[in-house]
Amino acid sequence: MGKLEQIDHIAIQVSNIKKSINWYKEKYNCKIIYSDDTWGFIQFKNIKLAMVTHTEHPPHFAILDETIEEGKDTVKHRDGSISKYVNDLDGNFIELIKY
């Protein structure tokens, strides 16, 4: 693994992506990066927040990792990013991601 020092985003599970995206937009005036029925992505001044459905992704935080290479343990996402999940000592999910 390369030098990992920047958190890219935090992902929370929500029951309705569209309603949640709209709530955050109205309440906190954040920028909507992407939204569909299973995934939403918004930008605050200092960090991005992903909203995911319970069946698509686990709750996690993502760390930028430019050393990731596409392979059997990685996933290529709809936005072209490549990532893989690892767990910390307590089983929390960490997504290592490269754009």
Side-chain angles (χ1 to χ4, degrees):
M1 257 185 259
K3 186 176 181 184
L4 307 176
E5 60 185 31
Q6 184 175 340
I7 292 178
D8 180 66
H9 67 270
I10 296 169
I12 59 173
Q13 290 182 330
V14 298
S15 58
N16 185 297
I17 301 293
K18 186 174 185 170
K19 284 182 182 179
S20 294
I21 289 281
N22 289 334
W23 186 86
Y24 277 92
K25 172 72 175 150
E26 289 174 18
K27 184 104 173 146
Y28 299 106
N29 195 33
C30 49
K31 177 184 172 189
I32 299 171
I33 298 171
Y34 182 84
S35 179
D36 67 22
D37 290 338
T38 65
W39 182 62
F41 213 30
I42 58 178
Q43 175 75 54
F44 289 86
K45 184 176 180 179
N46 63 331
I47 196 164
K48 294 177 275 189
L49 178 66
M51 284 167 241
V52 298
T53 60
H54 301 278
T55 58
E56 291 290 318
H57 301 276
H60 64 274
F61 71 94
I63 299 173
L64 290 175
D65 183 351
E66 293 300 321
T67 67
I68 292 177
E69 298 294 330
E70 194 170 351
K72 65 179 177 147
D73 65 340
T74 63
V75 174
K76 188 167 186 175
H77 299 283
R78 58 192 119 193
D79 65 358
S81 62
I82 299 169
S83 73
K84 68 178 178 179
Y85 287 101
V86 297
N87 296 98
D88 70 9
L89 296 174
D90 295 299
N92 297 299
F93 287 96
I94 301 168
E95 180 182 28
L96 303 177
I97 190 164
K98 173 182 170 182
Y99 290 96

